[in-house]
Amino acid sequence: MSKAACPLIAAILTTYNRPNLFTKAVLSLACQTLNQEDYEIIVVDDGSDKETQDLVISLKAIVDFKYVYQPNSGLASAKNHGLFHARAPIVLFLDDDDVSSPNLLEQHLVAHAHYPDPNFSILSHTWLSEELMVDPLMNFVTSNGGHLFSYNSISTGLLDYTYFWGGRTSCKRDYLLSHGVFNPVFKFGFEDIELGYRLRNAGLHVVYWKAASNTMIRKISIDGFLNRCYRQGQSASIFISLYPQDRILPKQLYLDQVDVEWSRLSPNVASVISACCHLDEMIRYLPKEASLINSQYYLQCLHYSYSRAFRAETIRGYIDSLTKQSQGQHSATQA
Amino acid sequence: MTDPANIHKPKGKVLVVGVYLADKPNLAAPLTTSLLQSKEWTVSCHWARLGSRGSNGGPLEHQTMLSISKRTEKSVIINQLLSRIDPSDYDYIFMVDDDITIPDQFIDDYLEIVSRRAYSLSQPARTHSSYIDHYFVAQLLGVESRRTNFVEIGPIVCFHRSSYPVLLPLDEEAPMGWGLDFVWPISMEQSELTLGIVDQCPVEHSFRKPVQYYDYATSDARMHTFFQARPHLTYAQSFMIHESYPVALT
């Protein structure tokens, strides 16, 4: 149909009200080692405010990208929207808080040339920016905690669907069009893993390709991260409810027997969260030089506290969503 | 300012054609009721009844123009219905299946968007609870409509009068319509006509599993034969948005 040459890869960048981060993310895509005609950038704005919209649009003067706007409808819808706008045979989904390495797109193409079968997707590496590495929370959630991402445990072989991580994975466009796209019921979190789960039936393999990399540049506060855990818990509950026949799935998502855990946790949630927030705040005021305080011991306490608080918030989100679902079913039955 | 003389004047004429399976459960009657509720368009429904069961004097009595008792292919039946009218009498022709549910005010809301975007061939997106063969046609949330390279052959297709000379009558070499949707975009482009999917007025297609009453393998094989003689698009070429329009926030 279109007479224009088709690019080789599409970078699909979803954004929502993060003008400063978005600017860095899109500029990093403008400076790629690939020839400009070999890639396309599709920006899906998932309902940003007017100020952000104007800034994003003004960047079109510097960076050549296709801008697509939708009223806030969630990540899954935004990604599908971008996928359908893409022309290239390979699509890479990116977040607006990651800065791409200059050879990110080139390396994704190299990886797909190594794995040309349609069912192979490529997972890039995401580094944490140097500034964020010294942040106790960011360091924890990208290393030992692995709540945001963790590459420590990744093997070099083929990975399963649980590594189909949004914001850092590329696929063959045709494969998604034929076998599955993101489920718009997911507004935040699990839209990627749930799609990977469905694509298993179409032979999905994920390959970790470290040479393709980007860098996470967004600092998340403790409150922001707790909220993230809560929403992830909600999405996990929706995911599990979509596949009631799969008894293994809750275990794979570390959410089996949650009710037992919740009955133990719930009386103390407020104090668990409060302690975590205080510890997080306190460590930021510790002297950097040697002191009487054993900082290693303190860090261990902090990590333990983070783990408990994040777990509690995830389960709280899960339980709340479950309750909401059963209330919905109940009123539907009554109606 | 609106001319008072135009307040109750219909925007134009719409014809709905479709085939219902008289021997099977179907939604043709409630669908017809919904379609005829248009306040802005003069709507006529012309159904063909397919099956051994005779007319039961039901709500479709006056809309059933054709009765066929032996198995006949869809495109042949639709063409028979179309041969009885002059298409140029109608601004839009909808071709519908008998197992869909449409939202309230469908015709008015849908054609308001289609007219504004000047889609010559269009269809509503499908709700997420529908049976979906091509993910591309599933409703995109937050999107009013999109200009595309693809409009699926069913369960509901809307032809604007500009497309009649290009697309009608249906090519009977595609008996159940399979494959037409990958050939249409090429003919449409040659005539500089546009295709679109309307996400804001989605159709529910979950009443009956598709391809329940005819053979998948036969239709698939015939589609490939059909493709051999005609230029057509691939999946990747078809499932592409040229432009999308967000839902307007009130």
Side-chain angles (χ1 to χ4, degrees), chain A residues 63-80:
Chain A
V63 188
D64 182 20
F65 61 84
K66 185 171 190 180
Y67 177 73
V68 178
Y69 178 84
Q70 60 179 45
N72 188 244
S73 305
L75 254 183
S77 282
K79 287 179 178 179
N80 288 341

PDB file of all heavy atoms in Angstrom, chain A residues 63-80:
ATOM      1  N   VAL A  63      12.883  15.847  16.894  1.00  0.00           N
ATOM      2  CA  VAL A  63      12.916  14.398  16.687  1.00  0.00           C
ATOM      3  C   VAL A  63      11.754  14.004  15.781  1.00  0.00           C
ATOM      4  O   VAL A  63      10.630  14.461  15.991  1.00  0.00           O
ATOM      5  CB  VAL A  63      12.769  13.642  18.033  1.00  0.00           C
ATOM      6  CG1 VAL A  63      12.998  12.163  17.840  1.00  0.00           C
ATOM      7  CG2 VAL A  63      13.715  14.200  19.081  1.00  0.00           C
ATOM      8  N   ASP A  64      12.042  13.153  14.835  1.00  0.00           N
ATOM      9  CA  ASP A  64      10.993  12.708  13.918  1.00  0.00           C
ATOM     10  C   ASP A  64      10.239  11.530  14.544  1.00  0.00           C
ATOM     11  O   ASP A  64      10.771  10.425  14.630  1.00  0.00           O
ATOM     12  CB  ASP A  64      11.651  12.286  12.594  1.00  0.00           C
ATOM     13  CG  ASP A  64      10.600  11.857  11.590  1.00  0.00           C
ATOM     14  OD1 ASP A  64       9.423  12.234  11.760  1.00  0.00           O
ATOM     15  OD2 ASP A  64      10.962  11.130  10.644  1.00  0.00           O
ATOM     16  N   PHE A  65       9.046  11.792  15.046  1.00  0.00           N
ATOM     17  CA  PHE A  65       8.245  10.682  15.571  1.00  0.00           C
ATOM     18  C   PHE A  65       6.775  10.883  15.225  1.00  0.00           C
ATOM     19  O   PHE A  65       6.336  12.005  14.941  1.00  0.00           O
ATOM     20  CB  PHE A  65       8.422  10.504  17.086  1.00  0.00           C
ATOM     21  CG  PHE A  65       8.022  11.666  17.948  1.00  0.00           C
ATOM     22  CD1 PHE A  65       6.698  11.852  18.338  1.00  0.00           C
ATOM     23  CD2 PHE A  65       8.968  12.566  18.405  1.00  0.00           C
ATOM     24  CE1 PHE A  65       6.330  12.915  19.159  1.00  0.00           C
ATOM     25  CE2 PHE A  65       8.611  13.640  19.225  1.00  0.00           C
ATOM     26  CZ  PHE A  65       7.284  13.813  19.601  1.00  0.00           C
ATOM     27  N   LYS A  66       6.057   9.785  15.252  1.00  0.00           N
ATOM     28  CA  LYS A  66       4.612   9.842  15.023  1.00  0.00           C
ATOM     29  C   LYS A  66       3.946   9.972  16.388  1.00  0.00           C
ATOM     30  O   LYS A  66       4.195   9.154  17.274  1.00  0.00           O
ATOM     31  CB  LYS A  66       4.151   8.573  14.304  1.00  0.00           C
ATOM     32  CG  LYS A  66       2.689   8.582  13.908  1.00  0.00           C
ATOM     33  CD  LYS A  66       2.361   7.391  13.015  1.00  0.00           C
ATOM     34  CE  LYS A  66       0.967   7.515  12.413  1.00  0.00           C
ATOM     35  NZ  LYS A  66       0.629   6.365  11.555  1.00  0.00           N
ATOM     36  N   TYR A  67       3.149  10.989  16.544  1.00  0.00           N
ATOM     37  CA  TYR A  67       2.503  11.240  17.832  1.00  0.00           C
ATOM     38  C   TYR A  67       1.049  10.780  17.788  1.00  0.00           C
ATOM     39  O   TYR A  67       0.289  11.187  16.915  1.00  0.00           O
ATOM     40  CB  TYR A  67       2.566  12.730  18.151  1.00  0.00           C
ATOM     41  CG  TYR A  67       1.854  13.117  19.428  1.00  0.00           C
ATOM     42  CD1 TYR A  67       2.391  12.799  20.664  1.00  0.00           C
ATOM     43  CD2 TYR A  67       0.640  13.801  19.394  1.00  0.00           C
ATOM     44  CE1 TYR A  67       1.743  13.155  21.839  1.00  0.00           C
ATOM     45  CE2 TYR A  67      -0.017  14.170  20.564  1.00  0.00           C
ATOM     46  CZ  TYR A  67       0.538  13.835  21.778  1.00  0.00           C
ATOM     47  OH  TYR A  67      -0.105  14.185  22.941  1.00  0.00           O
ATOM     48  N   VAL A  68       0.712   9.955  18.745  1.00  0.00           N
ATOM     49  CA  VAL A  68      -0.655   9.431  18.821  1.00  0.00           C
ATOM     50  C   VAL A  68      -1.190   9.717  20.212  1.00  0.00           C
ATOM     51  O   VAL A  68      -0.529   9.391  21.189  1.00  0.00           O
ATOM     52  CB  VAL A  68      -0.638   7.900  18.594  1.00  0.00           C
ATOM     53  CG1 VAL A  68      -2.029   7.342  18.725  1.00  0.00           C
ATOM     54  CG2 VAL A  68      -0.039   7.547  17.259  1.00  0.00           C
ATOM     55  N   TYR A  69      -2.355  10.310  20.281  1.00  0.00           N
ATOM     56  CA  TYR A  69      -2.921  10.663  21.588  1.00  0.00           C
ATOM     57  C   TYR A  69      -4.173   9.838  21.858  1.00  0.00           C
ATOM     58  O   TYR A  69      -4.956   9.564  20.946  1.00  0.00           O
ATOM     59  CB  TYR A  69      -3.282  12.155  21.609  1.00  0.00           C
ATOM     60  CG  TYR A  69      -3.921  12.581  22.898  1.00  0.00           C
ATOM     61  CD1 TYR A  69      -3.140  12.916  24.009  1.00  0.00           C
ATOM     62  CD2 TYR A  69      -5.309  12.615  23.035  1.00  0.00           C
ATOM     63  CE1 TYR A  69      -3.727  13.279  25.206  1.00  0.00           C
ATOM     64  CE2 TYR A  69      -5.899  12.976  24.236  1.00  0.00           C
ATOM     65  CZ  TYR A  69      -5.110  13.304  25.316  1.00  0.00           C
ATOM     66  OH  TYR A  69      -5.698  13.649  26.515  1.00  0.00           O
ATOM     67  N   GLN A  70      -4.358   9.457  23.107  1.00  0.00           N
ATOM     68  CA  GLN A  70      -5.625   8.840  23.532  1.00  0.00           C
ATOM     69  C   GLN A  70      -5.931   9.337  24.939  1.00  0.00           C
ATOM     70  O   GLN A  70      -5.021   9.494  25.746  1.00  0.00           O
ATOM     71  CB  GLN A  70      -5.511   7.310  23.504  1.00  0.00           C
ATOM     72  CG  GLN A  70      -4.425   6.740  24.414  1.00  0.00           C
ATOM     73  CD  GLN A  70      -4.353   5.215  24.382  1.00  0.00           C
ATOM     74  OE1 GLN A  70      -4.385   4.605  23.330  1.00  0.00           O
ATOM     75  NE2 GLN A  70      -4.257   4.618  25.554  1.00  0.00           N
ATOM     76  N   PRO A  71      -7.177   9.592  25.269  1.00  0.00           N
ATOM     77  CA  PRO A  71      -7.510   9.883  26.658  1.00  0.00           C
ATOM     78  C   PRO A  71      -7.052   8.701  27.520  1.00  0.00           C
ATOM     79  O   PRO A  71      -7.074   7.564  27.040  1.00  0.00           O
ATOM     80  CB  PRO A  71      -9.032   9.994  26.652  1.00  0.00           C
ATOM     81  CG  PRO A  71      -9.415  10.220  25.239  1.00  0.00           C
ATOM     82  CD  PRO A  71      -8.369   9.578  24.401  1.00  0.00           C
ATOM     83  N   ASN A  72      -6.681   8.997  28.747  1.00  0.00           N
ATOM     84  CA  ASN A  72      -6.063   7.960  29.581  1.00  0.00           C
ATOM     85  C   ASN A  72      -6.865   6.647  29.578  1.00  0.00           C
ATOM     86  O   ASN A  72      -7.988   6.586  30.041  1.00  0.00           O
ATOM     87  CB  ASN A  72      -5.904   8.478  31.010  1.00  0.00           C
ATOM     88  CG  ASN A  72      -5.105   7.536  31.869  1.00  0.00           C
ATOM     89  OD1 ASN A  72      -5.614   6.992  32.829  1.00  0.00           O
ATOM     90  ND2 ASN A  72      -3.873   7.306  31.511  1.00  0.00           N
ATOM     91  N   SER A  73      -6.251   5.608  29.033  1.00  0.00           N
ATOM     92  CA  SER A  73      -6.952   4.331  28.880  1.00  0.00           C
ATOM     93  C   SER A  73      -6.118   3.161  29.370  1.00  0.00           C
ATOM     94  O   SER A  73      -6.537   2.015  29.273  1.00  0.00           O
ATOM     95  CB  SER A  73      -7.286   4.094  27.395  1.00  0.00           C
ATOM     96  OG  SER A  73      -8.015   5.166  26.876  1.00  0.00           O
ATOM     97  N   GLY A  74      -4.933   3.450  29.857  1.00  0.00           N
ATOM     98  CA  GLY A  74      -4.097   2.383  30.402  1.00  0.00           C
ATOM     99  C   GLY A  74      -3.017   1.923  29.446  1.00  0.00           C
ATOM    100  O   GLY A  74      -3.079   2.148  28.233  1.00  0.00           O
ATOM    101  N   LEU A  75      -2.019   1.268  30.060  1.00  0.00           N
ATOM    102  CA  LEU A  75      -0.827   0.862  29.305  1.00  0.00           C
ATOM    103  C   LEU A  75      -1.123  -0.130  28.187  1.00  0.00           C
ATOM    104  O   LEU A  75      -0.572  -0.031  27.086  1.00  0.00           O
ATOM    105  CB  LEU A  75       0.160   0.201  30.265  1.00  0.00           C
ATOM    106  CG  LEU A  75       1.402   0.992  30.661  1.00  0.00           C
ATOM    107  CD1 LEU A  75       2.283   0.144  31.558  1.00  0.00           C
ATOM    108  CD2 LEU A  75       2.177   1.445  29.436  1.00  0.00           C
ATOM    109  N   ALA A  76      -1.996  -1.085  28.473  1.00  0.00           N
ATOM    110  CA  ALA A  76      -2.266  -2.122  27.478  1.00  0.00           C
ATOM    111  C   ALA A  76      -2.866  -1.514  26.211  1.00  0.00           C
ATOM    112  O   ALA A  76      -2.430  -1.812  25.088  1.00  0.00           O
ATOM    113  CB  ALA A  76      -3.205  -3.182  28.057  1.00  0.00           C
ATOM    114  N   SER A  77      -3.851  -0.648  26.398  1.00  0.00           N
ATOM    115  CA  SER A  77      -4.466   0.001  25.239  1.00  0.00           C
ATOM    116  C   SER A  77      -3.446   0.839  24.486  1.00  0.00           C
ATOM    117  O   SER A  77      -3.437   0.858  23.250  1.00  0.00           O
ATOM    118  CB  SER A  77      -5.599   0.921  25.693  1.00  0.00           C
ATOM    119  OG  SER A  77      -6.718   0.179  25.988  1.00  0.00           O
ATOM    120  N   ALA A  78      -2.620   1.550  25.241  1.00  0.00           N
ATOM    121  CA  ALA A  78      -1.627   2.423  24.605  1.00  0.00           C
ATOM    122  C   ALA A  78      -0.644   1.606  23.766  1.00  0.00           C
ATOM    123  O   ALA A  78      -0.280   1.990  22.647  1.00  0.00           O
ATOM    124  CB  ALA A  78      -0.884   3.218  25.669  1.00  0.00           C
ATOM    125  N   LYS A  79      -0.233   0.478  24.292  1.00  0.00           N
ATOM    126  CA  LYS A  79       0.721  -0.354  23.550  1.00  0.00           C
ATOM    127  C   LYS A  79       0.088  -0.931  22.281  1.00  0.00           C
ATOM    128  O   LYS A  79       0.725  -0.989  21.234  1.00  0.00           O
ATOM    129  CB  LYS A  79       1.249  -1.474  24.449  1.00  0.00           C
ATOM    130  CG  LYS A  79       2.219  -0.958  25.497  1.00  0.00           C
ATOM    131  CD  LYS A  79       2.710  -2.078  26.397  1.00  0.00           C
ATOM    132  CE  LYS A  79       3.724  -1.535  27.397  1.00  0.00           C
ATOM    133  NZ  LYS A  79       4.221  -2.583  28.300  1.00  0.00           N
ATOM    134  N   ASN A  80      -1.170  -1.352  22.399  1.00  0.00           N
ATOM    135  CA  ASN A  80      -1.856  -1.863  21.197  1.00  0.00           C
ATOM    136  C   ASN A  80      -1.988  -0.760  20.155  1.00  0.00           C
ATOM    137  O   ASN A  80      -1.797  -0.995  18.957  1.00  0.00           O
ATOM    138  CB  ASN A  80      -3.250  -2.385  21.551  1.00  0.00           C
ATOM    139  CG  ASN A  80      -3.206  -3.689  22.315  1.00  0.00           C
ATOM    140  OD1 ASN A  80      -2.194  -4.389  22.293  1.00  0.00           O
ATOM    141  ND2 ASN A  80      -4.286  -4.024  22.985  1.00  0.00           N
TER     142      ASN A  80
END
